[in-house]
């Protein structure tokens, strides 16, 4: 099973600043990686697939990069609605999720 | 608008069974694979099972293999999860999610339903 490791577990950032979230795979997943946002009491929402393609309706301040084993989700100029938990998911070999990064207001 | 509505959750004793349903609307159901993903209280996401458009390809997480059975009825635009021999560690919110393709290969999940809560306890 491919293990996905996200860092940090919690990230404190001020509104208007940039947030950088990391996701590492235990073996190469090529570009078969997705990012999701989950707010309290809500279902996860797809942000990024194919490591860097924004899903429909996702603002341009969300961007994804990376391939192989190292991936990054960047949120430029954080808005109040962006504070949430973020998960990465590989779909190169079955499907596994990272443990999540909680993005909180500093 | 794509909608996925889960139902069938509840409180069940260890060792008993439960059947979850997911009603889909707003898209051509038999054009897509479908999945179940769960989230234990306060925990992360865990993929449970997936099924291709024609039920020809099915997959399970090791944690549920042999106990859970996924199925779909394309005529009713519905997805199901039969859960047998339930354990305390199966307690979670179970989400139904749509895949981007007909087949299980290279599947991410979009969108997700609101989930149905399964609690396994005596």
């Amino acid at each position: 099973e491919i293990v996905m490791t996200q860092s940090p577990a919690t990230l404190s950032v001020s509104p208007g600043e940039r947030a950088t979230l990391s996701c590492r795979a235990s073996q190469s997943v090529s570009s078969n990686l997705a990012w999701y946002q989950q707010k309290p009491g809500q279902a996860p929402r797809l942000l990024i697939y194919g490591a860097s393609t924004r899903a429909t309706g996702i603002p341009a301040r969300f961007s994804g990069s990376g391939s192989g084993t190292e991936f990054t989700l960047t949120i430029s100029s954080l808005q109040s609605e962006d504070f949430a938990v973020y998960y990465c998911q590989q779909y190169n070999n079955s499907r596994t999720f990272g443990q999540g990064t909680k993005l909180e207001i500093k | 608008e794509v909608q996925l509505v889960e139902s069938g959750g509840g409180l069940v004793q260890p060792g008993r069974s439960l059947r979850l349903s997911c009603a889909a609307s707003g898209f051509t159901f038999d054009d897509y694979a479908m999945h179940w993903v769960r989230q234990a209280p306060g925990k992360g996401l865990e993929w449970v099972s997936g099924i291709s458009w024609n039920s020809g390809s099915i997959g399970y997480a090791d944690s549920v293999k042999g106990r859970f059975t996924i199925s779909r009825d394309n005529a009713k635009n519905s997805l199901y999860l039969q859960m047998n021999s339930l354990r305390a560690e199966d307690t979670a919110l179970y989400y139904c999610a749509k895949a981007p393709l007909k087949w299980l290969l290279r599947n991410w999940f979009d969108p997700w339903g609101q989930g149905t809560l399964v609690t396994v306890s005596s």
Side-chain angles (χ1 to χ4, degrees):
Chain A
E1 175 183 295
I2 298 176
V3 177
M4 307 301 292
T5 303
Q6 292 185 239
S7 61
T10 303
L11 182 61
S12 300
V13 183
S14 300
E17 295 190 338
R18 174 189 296 257
T20 302
L21 290 68
S22 297
C23 176
R24 173 177 293 178
S26 60
Q27 64 188 77
S28 177
V29 297
S30 186
S31 294
N32 296 312
L33 185 107
W35 289 94
Y36 302 87
Q37 176 193 66
Q38 187 177 34
K39 297 179 181 179
Q42 295 186 17
R45 176 176 72 146
L46 176 70
L47 299 174
I48 301 283
Y49 62 92
S52 61
T53 303
R54 277 190 304 277
T56 302
I58 301 303
R61 64 180 181 273
F62 291 90
S63 64
S65 63
S67 66
T69 62
E70 300 284 343
F71 301 88
T72 300
L73 174 69
T74 301
I75 312 170
S76 64
S77 189
L78 279 163
Q79 306 297 302
S80 58
E81 62 266 29
D82 299 335
F83 293 95
V85 179
Y86 292 82
Y87 294 94
C88 63
Q89 176 232 334
Q90 69 81 19
Y91 50 91
N92 191 66
N93 186 341
S94 189
R95 302 127 207 107
T96 48
F97 292 91
Q99 81 281 14
T101 290
K102 182 180 181 181
L103 180 58
E104 64 177 26
I105 301 175
K106 186 175 182 179
Chain B
E1 178 193 4
V2 174
Q3 278 202 320
L4 301 170
V5 180
E6 302 92 336
S7 61
L11 175 63
V12 61
Q13 293 179 328
R16 304 298 291 265
S17 299
L18 207 58
R19 189 194 197 206
L20 306 184
S21 299
C22 171
S25 61
F27 65 101
T28 304
F29 185 68
D30 57 7
D31 271 351
Y32 297 95
M34 296 292 295
H35 295 265
W36 289 99
V37 180
R38 68 185 180 183
Q39 186 169 35
K43 302 297 184 182
L45 302 167
E46 179 188 20
W47 174 76
V48 172
S49 182
I51 185 168
S52 64
W53 70 283
N54 63 352
S55 305
S57 181
I58 286 175
Y60 297 99
D62 288 343
S63 58
V64 307
K65 201 171 292 183
R67 300 187 299 122
F68 290 11
T69 302
I70 192 172
S71 63
R72 63 190 294 162
D73 185 335
N74 288 342
K76 295 182 177 180
N77 289 347
S78 293
L79 176 71
Y80 305 101
L81 186 68
Q82 177 66 43
M83 304 185 295
N84 298 333
S85 303
L86 282 162
R87 306 166 180 169
E89 54 264 36
D90 295 318
T91 294
L93 188 60
Y94 284 74
Y95 293 103
C96 164
K98 174 182 165 291
L101 307 167
K102 285 193 170 200
W103 302 102
L104 291 186
L105 200 61
R106 306 290 185 260
N107 281 186
W108 58 89
F109 310 116
D110 180 46
W112 303 51
Q114 85 290 348
T116 187
L117 182 62
V118 173
T119 303
V120 184
S121 175
S122 54

